[in-house]
Every structure is written in structure tokens, then in C-alpha cells.
Amino acid sequence: MIKDIFKGLLKLTIFVFLVLIMALFLSKVLRPDRLDEDNNTKDKVLGFYNLKKNSMDVIFLGSSHIYYGVNPAIINEKTDLNSYIFSGECQPIEVSYYFLKEAIKYQSPKLVVLDVFGLSDSINFCKTEGIYRVNLENLKTSEVKIEAFNNLFNKEDILYNIFDVSLYHNRWYELYGKDILKKEVKHNFGYTLGKNYSLNIVNFDNLYNGEIKEVNLDYLNKIKKLCDENNIELLLIKTPFYLSEDDAKIFTFIQKNTKYNFIDFNLIKNDIGYVFDIDGDIWHANMYGATKISEYLSTYINENYNIDKSSDVYDEEYHKMIIDMKKEKFKRIWDVDTLLEQIKKDDHILFMNYNFFEGSLLSAQDKHKLNNIGYDFYNHPKEKAIIKVEDGKVEAYYSYDYFSKDFYLGDNVFKVESNGYMWKNGVGLNIANNYACISVVDKKTYEVLDSFCMDTEGSLYIHRDQLEDK
């Protein structure tokens, strides 16, 4: 009798266990991607779990303000430290607290940087179950997630929230194989490369004394306590956005009435050259603004914290992010003077050609601009040219007739033709005829950052057209 009861209980336990496992699996499969790929909180959370254990030196917390405003690749380039932006859309301070609790289960950061938009008055419209869910639902099912749902949602709905298969059950007809199979998570260490610009130049109100909401201050103090218990430094920052008077009061309160280290970029935006109509919109930084913020922050970290790097395992991935950012920046430059200055500034290798023809009408001023980057129109005014520039050294070849040159960088072959065409490993970089063309190559990876041509039949102007594979 007792044996039969025991067997029955064992079978029931196994059945319940399998049901729970299936519910968790279906919840994960049915759970939707909330936003576009670059801005997807789901990928940012899952990307964090894909990190090697204890490989991060700095963890960034906060809302979209932080994942647009700080670029971990620049932090790595300037400080040699590994960092990840473990954040979410419209994230309130109470959610950041649980994200930190989850983060220290997998990483041992020496510094946590918290963007304090989650303490602002503007965050109130984010304090909804929908926003809580977007941020928390992709955390692993553990005591942290259960605690967060228990404290932030109705307690009687705890199972409904943890096993959210019932919430998304009507997505069955939307599913594809990619939803079931494990997909590659593109997290960019939590960063979203912003391309946004403001439509209007904005001016800040004066700052006022004010007080922070008690519940928000409680969670901030909880974050500080958790950091102290784990020997982690805490730095507060606020990326630039258009402050309301109420928000200004709260940040002034933090600055004047707490002992937290706090960098308010709203106060030093002029010092770092941050301009809203250039470096972002009134809410988020774009890649230019994030560069300025990240470079300042890197200097601050170097000067104020003594952090030993935990691992170099992600150095190549960080550098790839730098390359992607540079490519995006180049794509946006259409002014000749700005572009020629940019290719001289950074650590580049330049491949250049010039296809002279009798109809060339370059002005003396334009010839001077091109001579400054390696062309020589004074000594070779009517010759075709192929030129390589590296570390300020010019390697130039000239002829009155068509010719070509192969240049070898690592395992890559760059073929440059005097008639304007350029190739990398058989892939055409540009379409050209009677033009001066330039390919900009990253010196470390030999990635092509930009390839463009300049019309020489009048005033210089830029065009970019890629040739088919050879």
C-alpha cells in the first residue's frame, strides 16, 4: 500500500516536473522579440548569459539612455577593460537593482556604472507591468527573477508571469523554425549604435534644488549596498537628454545631497563638445555622442579606478565594433573637405589612384587638397597614378599608360588599377572611370572602412558605388 502511494507520488512528481520544463521551454519559444535587432532587450539579456564567466571588468546598468550613450568598444580601446551594458528598454531603478543581482551571479565586475534616468521624474511613464515584463522576462528562471516578479507584480500572478506561455499562446501561428532553433545572439556587448539626430537645437533650463522619490532612493541605496557587499565600486552617470525642471531637481539633489560619485553629462556637455543636433536627439545619444561620452568616461575610469583586466578574450570583438562604427561614420560623410580630414586623422592605410584624361578640370585648390593626402599633381600633372599611404609614407607609381599594382596585407590582396578600379581579394570596391578614387583600410584588421571616388571634371564631389565580384 505504502509502496503504491510512493510510486504514485513519484510519478506525479515526475509529471509535474516535465510539465514545468515544457512550460518554460514553450514560454521561451513563444516569447516575442520586442524591438528591432539592434535595439532588442531580449538579445541584450541573452547576450549577457553567453559571456564567459567572470570576463567583465565593468557592468553598465540602466535604460536605453545607457545602451545608446556608452560604447563598450571605446571603453575597451581607451581603458583596456571589458564591459557589458546589461540594461533594458525604459528600465526603472528597481529593475536595475535586480539586473545587478543577476549580473553578479555570473560576473565579478570591479566597477558598476549606473545611468540614473531610472531615478528621474520622466521614468514614471515606464513604471508599468508591460515595461517590467519586457525587461525581466528573458532573465533565467531563478530566485532573482522570482523575487523581482513577486515584488513588482501582483503576487497572485507569480506563476502566470514566470510561466508566460499562457500570455503568448496565441503566437503559435507566427512561429517559424528560427523561433525554435537556437539563433545567434547579436548583442554588441549591450550597445546600440545610434543614428538619430535632433530636429531642433534645444537649450537646458536652469538647475534647481529638489528631492528624489523615497522609493527610488531606497533602490539606489540597495544597489550601493549590493556593490559594497561584493567589493564593487559604484559610479553614477547621466547621459545628456533634454531635462525637465523636475528631472533637473532630482539630479541636482543627487549631486548636492548624496555621497555618490556622479558624472552628470548634462552639466559638462559643452566641455566634451556634445551638441544635440549633431550628437543625438533630445533623448538618446547617437554614435558621435556616444563616442564623446565614452572617451570622457574612459579617462575618468583610468584616473580614478585601479582595475586589472580580467581577460583579453573579447579584444577582437570589441575592435570589430570599432570598425563597424567607423564604417557607419564614413558612410555619413559627403563633404569632401570633412572626408579628406577624417582619413588623415585615424590609423588608416590608404590606396589611391587617379585616371588622368585631357578633360580633367581640377582646380588648383582641389589639387592642393589631394596633394595633402599623398597625390602629386605638381610633379605628375598628366600621369595616371597608383598610391599607397601608410604611417605618413607615400609609395607612388606613375605612368602615361594604363597599369595596375597588387599590394599584400596579411592574407589579403589589394589590386589597384590606374583606370580607377580597386579590388580586395577579387571583390570590387568601386566603380570608376575618370576619377580620383580612395580606399580606406583599417591598419589592424585590413577591413575596408570606406571606398569612394571624386569626380574630377569640375568641383570635387563624392560618390560610392560597389563593383561586382571579379
Side-chain angles (χ1 to χ4, degrees):
M1 178 71 175
I2 295 177
K3 189 176 181 180
D4 291 338
I5 293 174
F6 176 77
K7 284 184 178 180
L9 289 174
L10 181 61
K11 289 180 181 179
L12 179 61
T13 301
I14 294 173
F15 175 76
V16 171
F17 176 76
L18 292 175
V19 169
L20 293 177
I21 293 297
M22 181 59 70
L24 287 173
F25 172 74
L26 291 176
S27 294
K28 184 176 180 181
V29 169
L30 291 168
R31 200 172 290 143
D33 289 340
R34 299 287 187 174
L35 299 170
D36 59 86
E37 187 174 87
D38 291 338
N39 207 20
N40 192 350
T41 298
K42 180 177 180 179
D43 276 359
K44 296 177 189 300
V45 172
L46 297 182
F48 175 82
Y49 289 124
N50 286 346
L51 297 171
K52 293 185 181 296
K53 191 173 178 65
N54 296 329
S55 60
M56 292 293 114
D57 308 303
V58 182
I59 295 292
F60 291 93
L61 301 172
S63 68
S64 55
H65 286 221
I66 193 77
Y67 66 64
Y68 275 109
V70 177
N71 187 337
I74 295 176
I75 300 294
N76 176 263
E77 183 180 55
K78 302 297 183 182
T79 68
D80 200 34
L81 298 176
N82 299 333
S83 64
Y84 194 95
I85 303 175
F86 194 37
S87 63
E89 172 196 359
C90 212
Q91 188 174 103
I93 184 69
E94 55 268 35
V95 178
S96 296
Y97 167 69
Y98 290 110
F99 266 54
L100 177 58
K101 291 192 77 170
E102 185 73 359
I104 60 179
K105 290 164 55 181
Y106 300 91
Q107 300 294 331
S108 299
K110 302 300 184 294
L111 174 66
V112 163
V113 181
L114 171 68
D115 184 271
V116 295
F117 181 69
L119 298 170
S120 69
D121 183 72
S122 297
I123 199 67
N124 288 333
F125 70 88
C126 296
K127 291 178 179 285
T128 67
E129 286 197 359
I131 292 297
Y132 289 150
R133 187 181 304 285
V134 167
N135 279 270
L136 295 168
E137 63 185 3
N138 291 294
L139 294 183
K140 288 186 176 181
T141 302
S142 67
E143 72 282 358
V144 173
K145 185 173 182 177
I146 293 171
E147 180 187 351
F149 274 108
N150 190 53
N151 290 336
L152 301 178
F153 291 77
N154 292 326
K155 290 180 171 52
E156 59 269 21
D157 294 334
I158 184 69
L159 290 177
Y160 174 80
N161 288 313
I162 296 297
F163 302 102
D164 48 6
V165 59
S166 59
L167 184 64
Y168 303 122
H169 68 278
N170 60 353
R171 286 196 68 242
W172 283 111
Y173 67 93
E174 300 176 11
L175 292 183
Y176 296 93
K178 66 181 178 64
D179 294 290
I180 299 173
L181 298 175
K182 184 177 181 180
K183 69 172 184 176
E184 180 184 0
V185 176
K186 298 179 181 179
H187 56 73
N188 286 330
F189 296 92
Y191 173 63
T192 294
L193 189 147
K195 305 172 186 179
N196 43 308
Y197 291 84
S198 177
L199 298 177
N200 300 294
I201 298 175
V202 296
N203 297 307
F204 282 95
D205 302 322
N206 293 324
L207 299 185
Y208 300 84
N209 290 315
E211 292 188 2
I212 191 171
K213 288 185 172 67
E214 185 175 348
V215 63
N216 290 339
L217 187 58
D218 286 344
Y219 271 104
L220 177 59
N221 291 333
K222 285 182 179 181
I223 288 174
K224 180 63 168 72
K225 181 181 178 183
L226 195 55
C227 286
D228 290 343
E229 291 171 351
N230 290 274
N231 297 314
I232 303 170
E233 299 276 3
L234 176 62
L235 172 63
L236 307 183
I237 69 168
K238 184 67 226 72
T239 60
F241 78 111
Y242 187 48
L243 288 169
S244 68
E245 182 177 322
D246 289 332
D247 289 338
K249 289 179 180 179
I250 290 170
F251 300 145
T252 303
F253 178 87
I254 297 172
Q255 196 80 261
K256 291 185 175 182
N257 300 295
T258 71
K259 296 181 180 179
Y260 294 107
N261 294 330
F262 180 33
I263 303 173
D264 188 350
F265 284 96
N266 296 297
L267 299 180
I268 61 172
K269 63 182 179 65
N270 292 334
D271 298 335
I272 66 172
Y274 191 102
V275 180
F276 275 96
D277 61 329
I278 296 173
D279 297 314
D281 60 25
I282 62 176
W283 282 104
H284 301 125
N286 60 28
M287 57 186 167
Y288 302 103
T291 298
K292 294 174 181 180
I293 294 167
S294 301
E295 288 179 347
Y296 182 93
L297 193 55
S298 295
T299 300
Y300 186 90
I301 291 172
N302 285 331
E303 292 177 352
N304 292 276
Y305 302 98
N306 183 21
I307 303 174
D308 294 326
K309 186 176 183 179
S310 56
S311 170
D312 60 2
V313 67
Y314 292 116
D315 285 358
E316 288 188 11
E317 289 186 48
Y318 284 122
H319 189 69
K320 184 181 183 305
M321 287 175 61
I322 295 290
I323 296 300
D324 290 343
M325 179 184 67
K326 286 183 176 181
K327 288 180 179 180
E328 189 64 37
K329 285 183 176 180
F330 273 118
K331 274 170 34 180
R332 289 169 172 267
I333 301 175
W334 291 97
D335 175 71
V336 171
D337 292 339
T338 303
L339 188 55
L340 295 182
E341 281 301 311
Q342 186 67 35
I343 65 176
K344 287 194 299 182
K345 273 184 189 177
D346 292 322
D347 196 12
H348 304 141
I349 298 171
L350 305 181
F351 291 112
M352 309 189 295
N353 57 26
Y354 174 60
N355 188 23
F356 172 79
F357 71 111
E358 290 299 331
S360 294
L361 297 172
L362 280 177
S363 67
Q365 183 181 16
D366 286 339
K367 288 180 180 178
H368 179 71
K369 292 176 185 177
L370 296 178
N371 280 1
N372 281 339
I373 62 170
Y375 287 99
D376 188 356
F377 290 102
Y378 298 138
N379 295 312
H380 303 275
K382 295 188 176 182
E383 294 176 69
K384 301 178 187 298
I386 292 176
I387 303 165
K388 176 188 174 187
V389 180
E390 182 176 3
D391 294 330
K393 298 177 182 177
V394 178
E395 180 182 341
Y397 306 89
Y398 299 94
S399 174
Y400 289 103
D401 301 315
Y402 164 84
F403 71 109
S404 67
K405 285 284 182 181
D406 289 343
F407 299 91
Y408 297 88
L409 297 178
D411 296 329
N412 303 283
V413 181
F414 288 83
K415 182 180 182 66
V416 184
E417 302 182 48
S418 63
N419 62 359
Y421 294 113
M422 295 190 196
W423 312 79
K424 177 187 176 183
N425 300 329
V427 178
L429 302 178
N430 59 281
I431 296 174
N433 189 6
N434 300 319
Y435 300 111
C437 298
I438 301 174
S439 287
V440 186
V441 179
D442 177 64
K443 192 174 178 182
K444 184 175 180 179
T445 63
Y446 307 134
E447 285 274 341
V448 177
L449 303 176
D450 195 12
S451 189
F452 61 93
C453 296
M454 295 168 287
D455 196 333
T456 58
E457 297 181 81
S459 298
L460 290 176
Y461 70 88
I462 299 163
H463 65 92
R464 295 178 173 94
D465 297 292
Q466 188 170 1
L467 196 60
E468 297 298 324
D469 294 1
K470 196 169 185 178

